[in-house]
Amino acid sequence: MTGKVYLVGAGPGDPQLITVKGLWCLHHADVLLYDRLVAPELVEEVPAAAECIYVGKSPGRHPYSQAAINAILVERARCRNIVVRLKGGDPFVFGRGGEEAQALAGAGVPFEVVPGVTSALGVPARAGIPVTHRGVSATFAVLTGHQAGGRDDLNWEALAQIDTLVILMGVKRLPHVIAMLVAHGRDPQTPVAIVERGTLAGERVVSGDLGSIAGRAAAAGICSPATVVIGDVVRLRESLFSSPLAPSIPDRQPSTLPDLQSAIS
């Protein structure tokens, strides 16, 4: 007999943006493996007796390799545990959830994917930027600024033609991304916004265009986690949040989780 692994998306940052199913998983976990960008409030939702293992990766510091994480998931599940692998955003959007699912399937361990709100959509939305908008953007693409092995095999000619581009983990390589887009025909005056700490307290938005955004981001000291949005939809932010009834964008207050236990038990 074996237990089960839940690959759970925690959402883009604000702990309230986890799904009801994701919160249910936390409340029933025997073992929790969680990433660096997971809200501490979510870690506190597991039972007091649960084993919590921090497996977050930061630049230059990987306390657990992906192979080691896969092995822990398999081993803990084989001990008849309910194992929750909690990942920022959605587990299948640049979260390596697919690799973990492959490892579990290969080991014969039951698992379930619990989708989360990806930062690629949730962060721009909360900042007042819809990635699609009638008459402005009919297409969007999500790409990572960090590719395995440092390679660059993206189809920049095709990407330069897409209405809206959303870049995750792209602050460090932003000058390279800009250079490639402009070299393949993107207008240097295309609007750009960078949302730092999206959906969290202290959220900041720096706006400009392809020609100016790298300098503005550097001057503002923008750092990860940050989401980059490129396209005419960025202009909508001002109109969407110009009304006195519109929600406040800067300096979000910390969120607390609602009591959903009765709703999901």
Side-chain angles (χ1 to χ4, degrees), residues 151-191:
R151 70 180 191 274
D152 184 355
D153 53 7
L154 298 178
N155 187 340
W156 289 105
E157 183 176 2
L159 289 171
Q161 305 305 312
I162 293 173
D163 294 330
T164 304
L165 296 177
V166 182
I167 306 170
L168 305 180
M169 299 175 286
V171 173
K172 184 176 180 179
R173 284 173 55 85
L174 184 58
H176 171 73
V177 170
I178 292 170
M180 295 301 291
L181 289 174
V182 172
H184 288 83
R186 196 72 182 231
D187 186 345
Q189 294 185 332
T190 301

PDB file of all heavy atoms in Angstrom, residues 151-191:
ATOM      1  N   ARG A 151      20.778  28.115 -22.495  1.00  0.00           N
ATOM      2  CA  ARG A 151      20.596  28.153 -23.945  1.00  0.00           C
ATOM      3  C   ARG A 151      19.519  29.173 -24.319  1.00  0.00           C
ATOM      4  O   ARG A 151      18.740  29.609 -23.483  1.00  0.00           O
ATOM      5  CB  ARG A 151      20.204  26.772 -24.470  1.00  0.00           C
ATOM      6  CG  ARG A 151      18.802  26.320 -24.086  1.00  0.00           C
ATOM      7  CD  ARG A 151      18.505  24.932 -24.656  1.00  0.00           C
ATOM      8  NE  ARG A 151      17.112  24.577 -24.529  1.00  0.00           N
ATOM      9  CZ  ARG A 151      16.569  24.019 -23.456  1.00  0.00           C
ATOM     10  NH1 ARG A 151      17.328  23.769 -22.394  1.00  0.00           N
ATOM     11  NH2 ARG A 151      15.280  23.712 -23.417  1.00  0.00           N
ATOM     12  N   ASP A 152      19.482  29.523 -25.584  1.00  0.00           N
ATOM     13  CA  ASP A 152      18.450  30.422 -26.102  1.00  0.00           C
ATOM     14  C   ASP A 152      17.998  29.874 -27.453  1.00  0.00           C
ATOM     15  O   ASP A 152      18.582  30.166 -28.489  1.00  0.00           O
ATOM     16  CB  ASP A 152      18.990  31.850 -26.247  1.00  0.00           C
ATOM     17  CG  ASP A 152      17.900  32.829 -26.684  1.00  0.00           C
ATOM     18  OD1 ASP A 152      16.760  32.368 -26.957  1.00  0.00           O
ATOM     19  OD2 ASP A 152      18.169  34.037 -26.756  1.00  0.00           O
ATOM     20  N   ASP A 153      16.955  29.040 -27.411  1.00  0.00           N
ATOM     21  CA  ASP A 153      16.453  28.440 -28.645  1.00  0.00           C
ATOM     22  C   ASP A 153      15.005  28.860 -28.906  1.00  0.00           C
ATOM     23  O   ASP A 153      14.255  28.155 -29.570  1.00  0.00           O
ATOM     24  CB  ASP A 153      16.560  26.916 -28.587  1.00  0.00           C
ATOM     25  CG  ASP A 153      15.911  26.327 -27.338  1.00  0.00           C
ATOM     26  OD1 ASP A 153      15.264  27.093 -26.580  1.00  0.00           O
ATOM     27  OD2 ASP A 153      16.043  25.105 -27.113  1.00  0.00           O
ATOM     28  N   LEU A 154      14.620  30.019 -28.381  1.00  0.00           N
ATOM     29  CA  LEU A 154      13.273  30.515 -28.606  1.00  0.00           C
ATOM     30  C   LEU A 154      13.127  31.067 -30.022  1.00  0.00           C
ATOM     31  O   LEU A 154      14.091  31.568 -30.611  1.00  0.00           O
ATOM     32  CB  LEU A 154      12.929  31.615 -27.595  1.00  0.00           C
ATOM     33  CG  LEU A 154      12.930  31.215 -26.124  1.00  0.00           C
ATOM     34  CD1 LEU A 154      12.629  32.418 -25.234  1.00  0.00           C
ATOM     35  CD2 LEU A 154      11.921  30.098 -25.864  1.00  0.00           C
ATOM     36  N   ASN A 155      11.912  31.008 -30.532  1.00  0.00           N
ATOM     37  CA  ASN A 155      11.617  31.543 -31.859  1.00  0.00           C
ATOM     38  C   ASN A 155      11.287  33.025 -31.709  1.00  0.00           C
ATOM     39  O   ASN A 155      10.123  33.419 -31.612  1.00  0.00           O
ATOM     40  CB  ASN A 155      10.454  30.782 -32.487  1.00  0.00           C
ATOM     41  CG  ASN A 155      10.209  31.180 -33.930  1.00  0.00           C
ATOM     42  OD1 ASN A 155      10.625  32.244 -34.382  1.00  0.00           O
ATOM     43  ND2 ASN A 155       9.512  30.339 -34.675  1.00  0.00           N
ATOM     44  N   TRP A 156      12.319  33.850 -31.691  1.00  0.00           N
ATOM     45  CA  TRP A 156      12.129  35.271 -31.431  1.00  0.00           C
ATOM     46  C   TRP A 156      11.358  35.966 -32.545  1.00  0.00           C
ATOM     47  O   TRP A 156      10.620  36.920 -32.294  1.00  0.00           O
ATOM     48  CB  TRP A 156      13.482  35.950 -31.223  1.00  0.00           C
ATOM     49  CG  TRP A 156      14.122  35.556 -29.928  1.00  0.00           C
ATOM     50  CD1 TRP A 156      15.168  34.708 -29.752  1.00  0.00           C
ATOM     51  CD2 TRP A 156      13.730  35.975 -28.618  1.00  0.00           C
ATOM     52  NE1 TRP A 156      15.463  34.571 -28.425  1.00  0.00           N
ATOM     53  CE2 TRP A 156      14.600  35.350 -27.698  1.00  0.00           C
ATOM     54  CE3 TRP A 156      12.738  36.828 -28.124  1.00  0.00           C
ATOM     55  CZ2 TRP A 156      14.496  35.531 -26.319  1.00  0.00           C
ATOM     56  CZ3 TRP A 156      12.628  37.026 -26.753  1.00  0.00           C
ATOM     57  CH2 TRP A 156      13.504  36.391 -25.865  1.00  0.00           C
ATOM     58  N   GLU A 157      11.497  35.492 -33.759  1.00  0.00           N
ATOM     59  CA  GLU A 157      10.761  36.088 -34.869  1.00  0.00           C
ATOM     60  C   GLU A 157       9.262  35.926 -34.653  1.00  0.00           C
ATOM     61  O   GLU A 157       8.482  36.868 -34.867  1.00  0.00           O
ATOM     62  CB  GLU A 157      11.178  35.445 -36.195  1.00  0.00           C
ATOM     63  CG  GLU A 157      10.497  36.070 -37.412  1.00  0.00           C
ATOM     64  CD  GLU A 157      10.996  35.487 -38.717  1.00  0.00           C
ATOM     65  OE1 GLU A 157      11.845  34.569 -38.679  1.00  0.00           O
ATOM     66  OE2 GLU A 157      10.538  35.945 -39.782  1.00  0.00           O
ATOM     67  N   ALA A 158       8.834  34.746 -34.192  1.00  0.00           N
ATOM     68  CA  ALA A 158       7.418  34.518 -33.918  1.00  0.00           C
ATOM     69  C   ALA A 158       6.965  35.280 -32.676  1.00  0.00           C
ATOM     70  O   ALA A 158       5.878  35.885 -32.655  1.00  0.00           O
ATOM     71  CB  ALA A 158       7.157  33.021 -33.740  1.00  0.00           C
ATOM     72  N   LEU A 159       7.788  35.285 -31.636  1.00  0.00           N
ATOM     73  CA  LEU A 159       7.421  35.967 -30.395  1.00  0.00           C
ATOM     74  C   LEU A 159       7.246  37.471 -30.613  1.00  0.00           C
ATOM     75  O   LEU A 159       6.391  38.101 -29.987  1.00  0.00           O
ATOM     76  CB  LEU A 159       8.484  35.713 -29.326  1.00  0.00           C
ATOM     77  CG  LEU A 159       8.531  34.291 -28.752  1.00  0.00           C
ATOM     78  CD1 LEU A 159       9.761  34.119 -27.871  1.00  0.00           C
ATOM     79  CD2 LEU A 159       7.261  33.992 -27.961  1.00  0.00           C
ATOM     80  N   ALA A 160       8.043  38.047 -31.489  1.00  0.00           N
ATOM     81  CA  ALA A 160       7.963  39.486 -31.733  1.00  0.00           C
ATOM     82  C   ALA A 160       6.627  39.884 -32.349  1.00  0.00           C
ATOM     83  O   ALA A 160       6.241  41.066 -32.291  1.00  0.00           O
ATOM     84  CB  ALA A 160       9.109  39.929 -32.641  1.00  0.00           C
ATOM     85  N   GLN A 161       5.896  38.921 -32.924  1.00  0.00           N
ATOM     86  CA  GLN A 161       4.624  39.225 -33.578  1.00  0.00           C
ATOM     87  C   GLN A 161       3.415  39.030 -32.658  1.00  0.00           C
ATOM     88  O   GLN A 161       2.301  39.404 -33.018  1.00  0.00           O
ATOM     89  CB  GLN A 161       4.454  38.330 -34.814  1.00  0.00           C
ATOM     90  CG  GLN A 161       5.609  38.403 -35.801  1.00  0.00           C
ATOM     91  CD  GLN A 161       5.912  39.823 -36.252  1.00  0.00           C
ATOM     92  OE1 GLN A 161       4.993  40.556 -36.616  1.00  0.00           O
ATOM     93  NE2 GLN A 161       7.179  40.205 -36.236  1.00  0.00           N
ATOM     94  N   ILE A 162       3.604  38.457 -31.486  1.00  0.00           N
ATOM     95  CA  ILE A 162       2.491  38.172 -30.578  1.00  0.00           C
ATOM     96  C   ILE A 162       2.098  39.444 -29.840  1.00  0.00           C
ATOM     97  O   ILE A 162       2.946  40.224 -29.401  1.00  0.00           O
ATOM     98  CB  ILE A 162       2.876  37.046 -29.609  1.00  0.00           C
ATOM     99  CG1 ILE A 162       3.042  35.744 -30.392  1.00  0.00           C
ATOM    100  CG2 ILE A 162       1.834  36.870 -28.509  1.00  0.00           C
ATOM    101  CD1 ILE A 162       3.573  34.594 -29.581  1.00  0.00           C
ATOM    102  N   ASP A 163       0.778  39.656 -29.686  1.00  0.00           N
ATOM    103  CA  ASP A 163       0.284  40.906 -29.112  1.00  0.00           C
ATOM    104  C   ASP A 163       0.838  41.176 -27.720  1.00  0.00           C
ATOM    105  O   ASP A 163       1.330  42.271 -27.427  1.00  0.00           O
ATOM    106  CB  ASP A 163      -1.259  40.882 -29.040  1.00  0.00           C
ATOM    107  CG  ASP A 163      -1.898  40.860 -30.421  1.00  0.00           C
ATOM    108  OD1 ASP A 163      -1.292  41.403 -31.364  1.00  0.00           O
ATOM    109  OD2 ASP A 163      -2.997  40.300 -30.545  1.00  0.00           O
ATOM    110  N   THR A 164       0.724  40.186 -26.834  1.00  0.00           N
ATOM    111  CA  THR A 164       1.158  40.366 -25.452  1.00  0.00           C
ATOM    112  C   THR A 164       2.136  39.272 -25.071  1.00  0.00           C
ATOM    113  O   THR A 164       1.869  38.085 -25.282  1.00  0.00           O
ATOM    114  CB  THR A 164      -0.044  40.307 -24.482  1.00  0.00           C
ATOM    115  OG1 THR A 164      -1.023  41.278 -24.865  1.00  0.00           O
ATOM    116  CG2 THR A 164       0.401  40.581 -23.044  1.00  0.00           C
ATOM    117  N   LEU A 165       3.254  39.667 -24.484  1.00  0.00           N
ATOM    118  CA  LEU A 165       4.234  38.721 -23.963  1.00  0.00           C
ATOM    119  C   LEU A 165       4.317  38.885 -22.454  1.00  0.00           C
ATOM    120  O   LEU A 165       4.399  40.005 -21.946  1.00  0.00           O
ATOM    121  CB  LEU A 165       5.618  38.956 -24.570  1.00  0.00           C
ATOM    122  CG  LEU A 165       5.759  38.730 -26.077  1.00  0.00           C
ATOM    123  CD1 LEU A 165       7.178  39.092 -26.515  1.00  0.00           C
ATOM    124  CD2 LEU A 165       5.449  37.287 -26.439  1.00  0.00           C
ATOM    125  N   VAL A 166       4.290  37.773 -21.750  1.00  0.00           N
ATOM    126  CA  VAL A 166       4.464  37.775 -20.299  1.00  0.00           C
ATOM    127  C   VAL A 166       5.709  36.955 -19.998  1.00  0.00           C
ATOM    128  O   VAL A 166       5.825  35.800 -20.426  1.00  0.00           O
ATOM    129  CB  VAL A 166       3.251  37.171 -19.580  1.00  0.00           C
ATOM    130  CG1 VAL A 166       3.449  37.241 -18.065  1.00  0.00           C
ATOM    131  CG2 VAL A 166       1.971  37.900 -19.975  1.00  0.00           C
ATOM    132  N   ILE A 167       6.639  37.564 -19.263  1.00  0.00           N
ATOM    133  CA  ILE A 167       7.916  36.908 -18.993  1.00  0.00           C
ATOM    134  C   ILE A 167       8.056  36.678 -17.501  1.00  0.00           C
ATOM    135  O   ILE A 167       7.953  37.616 -16.692  1.00  0.00           O
ATOM    136  CB  ILE A 167       9.094  37.760 -19.501  1.00  0.00           C
ATOM    137  CG1 ILE A 167       8.894  38.111 -20.977  1.00  0.00           C
ATOM    138  CG2 ILE A 167      10.417  37.029 -19.305  1.00  0.00           C
ATOM    139  CD1 ILE A 167       9.860  39.140 -21.498  1.00  0.00           C
ATOM    140  N   LEU A 168       8.268  35.431 -17.129  1.00  0.00           N
ATOM    141  CA  LEU A 168       8.524  35.058 -15.741  1.00  0.00           C
ATOM    142  C   LEU A 168      10.020  34.827 -15.554  1.00  0.00           C
ATOM    143  O   LEU A 168      10.701  34.352 -16.462  1.00  0.00           O
ATOM    144  CB  LEU A 168       7.750  33.787 -15.380  1.00  0.00           C
ATOM    145  CG  LEU A 168       6.235  33.821 -15.612  1.00  0.00           C
ATOM    146  CD1 LEU A 168       5.611  32.487 -15.204  1.00  0.00           C
ATOM    147  CD2 LEU A 168       5.587  34.967 -14.857  1.00  0.00           C
ATOM    148  N   MET A 169      10.499  35.166 -14.374  1.00  0.00           N
ATOM    149  CA  MET A 169      11.925  34.987 -14.056  1.00  0.00           C
ATOM    150  C   MET A 169      12.803  35.681 -15.094  1.00  0.00           C
ATOM    151  O   MET A 169      13.812  35.128 -15.556  1.00  0.00           O
ATOM    152  CB  MET A 169      12.266  33.488 -13.967  1.00  0.00           C
ATOM    153  CG  MET A 169      11.496  32.746 -12.894  1.00  0.00           C
ATOM    154  SD  MET A 169      11.795  30.960 -12.899  1.00  0.00           S
ATOM    155  CE  MET A 169      10.861  30.464 -14.364  1.00  0.00           C
ATOM    156  N   GLY A 170      12.414  36.892 -15.484  1.00  0.00           N
ATOM    157  CA  GLY A 170      13.090  37.533 -16.590  1.00  0.00           C
ATOM    158  C   GLY A 170      13.829  38.816 -16.288  1.00  0.00           C
ATOM    159  O   GLY A 170      14.319  39.473 -17.217  1.00  0.00           O
ATOM    160  N   VAL A 171      13.938  39.213 -15.022  1.00  0.00           N
ATOM    161  CA  VAL A 171      14.561  40.497 -14.703  1.00  0.00           C
ATOM    162  C   VAL A 171      16.042  40.516 -15.107  1.00  0.00           C
ATOM    163  O   VAL A 171      16.518  41.467 -15.730  1.00  0.00           O
ATOM    164  CB  VAL A 171      14.416  40.813 -13.200  1.00  0.00           C
ATOM    165  CG1 VAL A 171      15.223  42.058 -12.834  1.00  0.00           C
ATOM    166  CG2 VAL A 171      12.948  41.012 -12.843  1.00  0.00           C
ATOM    167  N   LYS A 172      16.765  39.473 -14.779  1.00  0.00           N
ATOM    168  CA  LYS A 172      18.203  39.445 -15.048  1.00  0.00           C
ATOM    169  C   LYS A 172      18.498  39.486 -16.540  1.00  0.00           C
ATOM    170  O   LYS A 172      19.448  40.127 -16.994  1.00  0.00           O
ATOM    171  CB  LYS A 172      18.825  38.193 -14.419  1.00  0.00           C
ATOM    172  CG  LYS A 172      20.334  38.120 -14.548  1.00  0.00           C
ATOM    173  CD  LYS A 172      20.880  36.902 -13.821  1.00  0.00           C
ATOM    174  CE  LYS A 172      22.402  36.818 -13.937  1.00  0.00           C
ATOM    175  NZ  LYS A 172      22.941  35.630 -13.214  1.00  0.00           N
ATOM    176  N   ARG A 173      17.661  38.799 -17.339  1.00  0.00           N
ATOM    177  CA  ARG A 173      17.910  38.704 -18.778  1.00  0.00           C
ATOM    178  C   ARG A 173      17.059  39.680 -19.587  1.00  0.00           C
ATOM    179  O   ARG A 173      16.968  39.552 -20.812  1.00  0.00           O
ATOM    180  CB  ARG A 173      17.647  37.268 -19.243  1.00  0.00           C
ATOM    181  CG  ARG A 173      18.746  36.299 -18.867  1.00  0.00           C
ATOM    182  CD  ARG A 173      18.357  34.854 -19.190  1.00  0.00           C
ATOM    183  NE  ARG A 173      17.967  34.670 -20.578  1.00  0.00           N
ATOM    184  CZ  ARG A 173      18.817  34.453 -21.571  1.00  0.00           C
ATOM    185  NH1 ARG A 173      20.124  34.437 -21.332  1.00  0.00           N
ATOM    186  NH2 ARG A 173      18.383  34.265 -22.798  1.00  0.00           N
ATOM    187  N   LEU A 174      16.461  40.656 -18.922  1.00  0.00           N
ATOM    188  CA  LEU A 174      15.588  41.588 -19.626  1.00  0.00           C
ATOM    189  C   LEU A 174      16.296  42.312 -20.772  1.00  0.00           C
ATOM    190  O   LEU A 174      15.728  42.416 -21.874  1.00  0.00           O
ATOM    191  CB  LEU A 174      14.986  42.597 -18.639  1.00  0.00           C
ATOM    192  CG  LEU A 174      13.971  43.582 -19.229  1.00  0.00           C
ATOM    193  CD1 LEU A 174      12.802  42.842 -19.861  1.00  0.00           C
ATOM    194  CD2 LEU A 174      13.480  44.534 -18.140  1.00  0.00           C
ATOM    195  N   PRO A 175      17.511  42.822 -20.595  1.00  0.00           N
ATOM    196  CA  PRO A 175      18.180  43.477 -21.737  1.00  0.00           C
ATOM    197  C   PRO A 175      18.326  42.551 -22.944  1.00  0.00           C
ATOM    198  O   PRO A 175      18.170  42.997 -24.091  1.00  0.00           O
ATOM    199  CB  PRO A 175      19.538  43.882 -21.155  1.00  0.00           C
ATOM    200  CG  PRO A 175      19.283  44.030 -19.692  1.00  0.00           C
ATOM    201  CD  PRO A 175      18.303  42.946 -19.356  1.00  0.00           C
ATOM    202  N   HIS A 176      18.610  41.288 -22.708  1.00  0.00           N
ATOM    203  CA  HIS A 176      18.737  40.329 -23.811  1.00  0.00           C
ATOM    204  C   HIS A 176      17.395  40.126 -24.497  1.00  0.00           C
ATOM    205  O   HIS A 176      17.317  40.105 -25.735  1.00  0.00           O
ATOM    206  CB  HIS A 176      19.261  38.999 -23.291  1.00  0.00           C
ATOM    207  CG  HIS A 176      19.234  37.894 -24.307  1.00  0.00           C
ATOM    208  ND1 HIS A 176      20.110  37.828 -25.364  1.00  0.00           N
ATOM    209  CD2 HIS A 176      18.398  36.820 -24.435  1.00  0.00           C
ATOM    210  CE1 HIS A 176      19.844  36.760 -26.096  1.00  0.00           C
ATOM    211  NE2 HIS A 176      18.799  36.130 -25.570  1.00  0.00           N
ATOM    212  N   VAL A 177      16.328  39.972 -23.709  1.00  0.00           N
ATOM    213  CA  VAL A 177      14.989  39.776 -24.279  1.00  0.00           C
ATOM    214  C   VAL A 177      14.609  40.969 -25.150  1.00  0.00           C
ATOM    215  O   VAL A 177      14.117  40.824 -26.275  1.00  0.00           O
ATOM    216  CB  VAL A 177      13.957  39.566 -23.158  1.00  0.00           C
ATOM    217  CG1 VAL A 177      12.535  39.600 -23.728  1.00  0.00           C
ATOM    218  CG2 VAL A 177      14.215  38.251 -22.441  1.00  0.00           C
ATOM    219  N   ILE A 178      14.849  42.165 -24.636  1.00  0.00           N
ATOM    220  CA  ILE A 178      14.519  43.383 -25.383  1.00  0.00           C
ATOM    221  C   ILE A 178      15.299  43.430 -26.694  1.00  0.00           C
ATOM    222  O   ILE A 178      14.742  43.717 -27.766  1.00  0.00           O
ATOM    223  CB  ILE A 178      14.809  44.625 -24.528  1.00  0.00           C
ATOM    224  CG1 ILE A 178      13.837  44.686 -23.350  1.00  0.00           C
ATOM    225  CG2 ILE A 178      14.718  45.896 -25.368  1.00  0.00           C
ATOM    226  CD1 ILE A 178      14.194  45.751 -22.323  1.00  0.00           C
ATOM    227  N   ALA A 179      16.586  43.162 -26.618  1.00  0.00           N
ATOM    228  CA  ALA A 179      17.426  43.208 -27.823  1.00  0.00           C
ATOM    229  C   ALA A 179      16.946  42.220 -28.876  1.00  0.00           C
ATOM    230  O   ALA A 179      16.905  42.542 -30.075  1.00  0.00           O
ATOM    231  CB  ALA A 179      18.880  42.925 -27.449  1.00  0.00           C
ATOM    232  N   MET A 180      16.547  41.033 -28.455  1.00  0.00           N
ATOM    233  CA  MET A 180      16.091  40.024 -29.397  1.00  0.00           C
ATOM    234  C   MET A 180      14.757  40.416 -30.030  1.00  0.00           C
ATOM    235  O   MET A 180      14.544  40.241 -31.235  1.00  0.00           O
ATOM    236  CB  MET A 180      15.971  38.668 -28.701  1.00  0.00           C
ATOM    237  CG  MET A 180      17.300  38.099 -28.216  1.00  0.00           C
ATOM    238  SD  MET A 180      18.512  37.873 -29.549  1.00  0.00           S
ATOM    239  CE  MET A 180      17.751  36.530 -30.449  1.00  0.00           C
ATOM    240  N   LEU A 181      13.850  40.970 -29.238  1.00  0.00           N
ATOM    241  CA  LEU A 181      12.549  41.372 -29.776  1.00  0.00           C
ATOM    242  C   LEU A 181      12.699  42.518 -30.779  1.00  0.00           C
ATOM    243  O   LEU A 181      12.106  42.495 -31.866  1.00  0.00           O
ATOM    244  CB  LEU A 181      11.617  41.791 -28.642  1.00  0.00           C
ATOM    245  CG  LEU A 181      11.110  40.669 -27.733  1.00  0.00           C
ATOM    246  CD1 LEU A 181      10.325  41.244 -26.565  1.00  0.00           C
ATOM    247  CD2 LEU A 181      10.248  39.680 -28.520  1.00  0.00           C
ATOM    248  N   VAL A 182      13.488  43.516 -30.427  1.00  0.00           N
ATOM    249  CA  VAL A 182      13.688  44.659 -31.321  1.00  0.00           C
ATOM    250  C   VAL A 182      14.406  44.216 -32.596  1.00  0.00           C
ATOM    251  O   VAL A 182      14.067  44.642 -33.709  1.00  0.00           O
ATOM    252  CB  VAL A 182      14.467  45.777 -30.601  1.00  0.00           C
ATOM    253  CG1 VAL A 182      14.853  46.886 -31.582  1.00  0.00           C
ATOM    254  CG2 VAL A 182      13.634  46.353 -29.457  1.00  0.00           C
ATOM    255  N   ALA A 183      15.392  43.322 -32.450  1.00  0.00           N
ATOM    256  CA  ALA A 183      16.126  42.825 -33.616  1.00  0.00           C
ATOM    257  C   ALA A 183      15.230  42.052 -34.572  1.00  0.00           C
ATOM    258  O   ALA A 183      15.516  41.975 -35.772  1.00  0.00           O
ATOM    259  CB  ALA A 183      17.281  41.940 -33.159  1.00  0.00           C
ATOM    260  N   HIS A 184      14.128  41.515 -34.044  1.00  0.00           N
ATOM    261  CA  HIS A 184      13.212  40.737 -34.883  1.00  0.00           C
ATOM    262  C   HIS A 184      11.933  41.506 -35.209  1.00  0.00           C
ATOM    263  O   HIS A 184      10.906  40.917 -35.548  1.00  0.00           O
ATOM    264  CB  HIS A 184      12.887  39.407 -34.213  1.00  0.00           C
ATOM    265  CG  HIS A 184      14.029  38.440 -34.235  1.00  0.00           C
ATOM    266  ND1 HIS A 184      15.047  38.476 -33.316  1.00  0.00           N
ATOM    267  CD2 HIS A 184      14.334  37.424 -35.094  1.00  0.00           C
ATOM    268  CE1 HIS A 184      15.920  37.517 -33.580  1.00  0.00           C
ATOM    269  NE2 HIS A 184      15.518  36.870 -34.659  1.00  0.00           N
ATOM    270  N   GLY A 185      12.003  42.832 -35.088  1.00  0.00           N
ATOM    271  CA  GLY A 185      10.936  43.664 -35.627  1.00  0.00           C
ATOM    272  C   GLY A 185       9.961  44.280 -34.656  1.00  0.00           C
ATOM    273  O   GLY A 185       9.050  44.999 -35.081  1.00  0.00           O
ATOM    274  N   ARG A 186      10.131  44.059 -33.354  1.00  0.00           N
ATOM    275  CA  ARG A 186       9.199  44.669 -32.404  1.00  0.00           C
ATOM    276  C   ARG A 186       9.528  46.152 -32.260  1.00  0.00           C
ATOM    277  O   ARG A 186      10.693  46.549 -32.146  1.00  0.00           O
ATOM    278  CB  ARG A 186       9.289  43.995 -31.032  1.00  0.00           C
ATOM    279  CG  ARG A 186       8.107  44.308 -30.102  1.00  0.00           C
ATOM    280  CD  ARG A 186       6.848  43.607 -30.573  1.00  0.00           C
ATOM    281  NE  ARG A 186       5.694  43.930 -29.745  1.00  0.00           N
ATOM    282  CZ  ARG A 186       4.889  43.015 -29.211  1.00  0.00           C
ATOM    283  NH1 ARG A 186       5.125  41.725 -29.421  1.00  0.00           N
ATOM    284  NH2 ARG A 186       3.861  43.370 -28.492  1.00  0.00           N
ATOM    285  N   ASP A 187       8.485  46.984 -32.249  1.00  0.00           N
ATOM    286  CA  ASP A 187       8.652  48.435 -32.136  1.00  0.00           C
ATOM    287  C   ASP A 187       9.280  48.785 -30.789  1.00  0.00           C
ATOM    288  O   ASP A 187       8.772  48.377 -29.736  1.00  0.00           O
ATOM    289  CB  ASP A 187       7.280  49.100 -32.257  1.00  0.00           C
ATOM    290  CG  ASP A 187       7.359  50.620 -32.304  1.00  0.00           C
ATOM    291  OD1 ASP A 187       8.413  51.189 -31.970  1.00  0.00           O
ATOM    292  OD2 ASP A 187       6.327  51.243 -32.656  1.00  0.00           O
ATOM    293  N   PRO A 188      10.388  49.545 -30.769  1.00  0.00           N
ATOM    294  CA  PRO A 188      11.014  49.925 -29.499  1.00  0.00           C
ATOM    295  C   PRO A 188      10.096  50.741 -28.587  1.00  0.00           C
ATOM    296  O   PRO A 188      10.364  50.837 -27.381  1.00  0.00           O
ATOM    297  CB  PRO A 188      12.231  50.758 -29.936  1.00  0.00           C
ATOM    298  CG  PRO A 188      12.512  50.312 -31.330  1.00  0.00           C
ATOM    299  CD  PRO A 188      11.174  50.001 -31.934  1.00  0.00           C
ATOM    300  N   GLN A 189       9.016  51.304 -29.142  1.00  0.00           N
ATOM    301  CA  GLN A 189       8.088  52.080 -28.327  1.00  0.00           C
ATOM    302  C   GLN A 189       6.938  51.229 -27.777  1.00  0.00           C
ATOM    303  O   GLN A 189       6.010  51.755 -27.168  1.00  0.00           O
ATOM    304  CB  GLN A 189       7.529  53.254 -29.137  1.00  0.00           C
ATOM    305  CG  GLN A 189       8.589  54.283 -29.515  1.00  0.00           C
ATOM    306  CD  GLN A 189       8.003  55.495 -30.208  1.00  0.00           C
ATOM    307  OE1 GLN A 189       6.974  55.413 -30.857  1.00  0.00           O
ATOM    308  NE2 GLN A 189       8.678  56.628 -30.060  1.00  0.00           N
ATOM    309  N   THR A 190       7.020  49.920 -27.927  1.00  0.00           N
ATOM    310  CA  THR A 190       6.011  49.025 -27.363  1.00  0.00           C
ATOM    311  C   THR A 190       5.984  49.178 -25.840  1.00  0.00           C
ATOM    312  O   THR A 190       7.027  49.095 -25.187  1.00  0.00           O
ATOM    313  CB  THR A 190       6.313  47.561 -27.716  1.00  0.00           C
ATOM    314  OG1 THR A 190       6.343  47.420 -29.137  1.00  0.00           O
ATOM    315  CG2 THR A 190       5.257  46.636 -27.129  1.00  0.00           C
ATOM    316  N   PRO A 191       4.803  49.395 -25.238  1.00  0.00           N
ATOM    317  CA  PRO A 191       4.722  49.571 -23.780  1.00  0.00           C
ATOM    318  C   PRO A 191       5.161  48.317 -23.020  1.00  0.00           C
ATOM    319  O   PRO A 191       4.932  47.190 -23.466  1.00  0.00           O
ATOM    320  CB  PRO A 191       3.234  49.849 -23.542  1.00  0.00           C
ATOM    321  CG  PRO A 191       2.709  50.324 -24.843  1.00  0.00           C
ATOM    322  CD  PRO A 191       3.492  49.587 -25.889  1.00  0.00           C
TER     323      PRO A 191
END
